Amino acid sequence: MQNLPQKVRSKKLNSRVDLTAMVSVSFLLIIFFMVVGELSKSKNMKFGKPDCIDEYPRTGCYMHDERRVMTLLLDNNNKIITYTGLLFIPIDAPKEVQYGKSGIRKVLLERNKKVLDYSAALGKPGRGVTVIIKPSKNSNYGNLVDILDEMKITGITSYSVVDYYTPEESKLLASK
């Protein structure tokens, strides 16, 4: 017998393609277009004017939150002048009060109760009075500490210490 030449079979190459990189790129493109689509949407903010409850010729509008603001002017000789609202159209006219339980503490508790009742009637319960404390250059550090203690005692958490006086407030301090 003769040896017949055997047919040489060609080896089949592995035709498998690794698509891992393609999947990663496609996910990155999907995420990119989702983010771009979300960021390109217009964002509009509602810009509104506060509701007026009364019309006044000088201001044009008497806003709800003016009833929530109480200003304390601190001066020398333990003098405190309080008013509520704006000075030129006050809700509570400016008056001088003393430090202590029957003075400023009583005024703060009464005003906070009125504001809490008023806020509850508007459908915004729990919004108490906001106190603006304005110590003058003549007031001493102890008076400021006493007022901050009164804020803690009365439970008023919304207050601010400001060192700016309007000309009307300066006249008021000079006259009282």
Side-chain angles (χ1 to χ4, degrees):
M1 293 203 163
Q2 286 182 346
N3 274 344
L4 293 174
Q6 291 185 350
K7 289 188 178 180
V8 178
R9 293 202 166 197
S10 63
K11 277 189 168 180
K12 294 202 176 192
L13 297 175
N14 191 0
S15 62
R16 189 166 175 247
V17 178
D18 188 17
L19 296 177
T20 306
M22 185 71 84
V23 170
S24 297
V25 169
S26 63
F27 276 120
L28 285 173
L29 286 173
I30 290 170
I31 291 171
F32 172 77
F33 286 116
M34 285 174 54
V35 169
V36 167
E38 191 64 33
L39 292 177
S40 66
K41 291 180 183 176
S42 63
K43 305 278 191 270
N44 295 331
M45 291 176 55
K46 185 177 179 184
F47 179 72
K49 196 172 107 172
D51 297 330
C52 294
I53 55 174
D54 291 321
E55 294 291 328
Y56 282 94
R58 193 161 175 193
T59 61
C61 182
Y62 184 68
M63 295 174 278
H64 292 293
D65 282 347
E66 290 174 11
R67 292 180 185 219
R68 293 184 55 229
V69 177
M70 181 177 193
T71 305
L72 304 178
L73 306 174
L74 307 180
D75 204 13
N76 60 351
N77 299 327
N78 297 334
K79 183 163 76 169
I80 306 172
I81 298 175
T82 69
Y83 66 90
T84 303
L86 300 174
L87 187 56
F88 54 89
I89 47 168
I91 295 165
D92 290 336
K95 64 181 176 182
E96 189 172 336
V97 295
Q98 299 297 319
Y99 286 91
K101 188 175 185 178
S102 60
I104 190 65
R105 187 177 308 166
K106 182 179 176 186
V107 171
L108 288 170
L109 288 170
E110 288 172 358
R111 188 68 209 161
N112 196 33
K113 182 174 179 350
K114 283 181 188 177
V115 170
L116 286 170
D117 293 343
Y118 172 74
S119 296
L122 288 177
K124 299 176 182 177
R127 294 182 67 191
V129 69
T130 299
V131 179
I132 300 173
I133 303 167
K134 295 185 174 187
S136 72
K137 294 188 185 328
N138 299 329
S139 68
N140 60 36
Y141 185 72
N143 290 345
L144 180 61
V145 171
D146 290 343
I147 284 296
L148 294 176
D149 287 343
E150 293 295 337
M151 295 295 121
K152 182 73 173 173
I153 291 167
T154 57
I156 296 172
T157 57
S158 178
Y159 60 88
S160 176
V161 179
V162 179
D163 64 351
Y164 172 74
Y165 274 85
T166 64
E168 293 85 10
E169 290 170 337
S170 297
K171 289 177 189 174
L172 180 66
L173 278 176
S175 69
K176 294 253 179 178

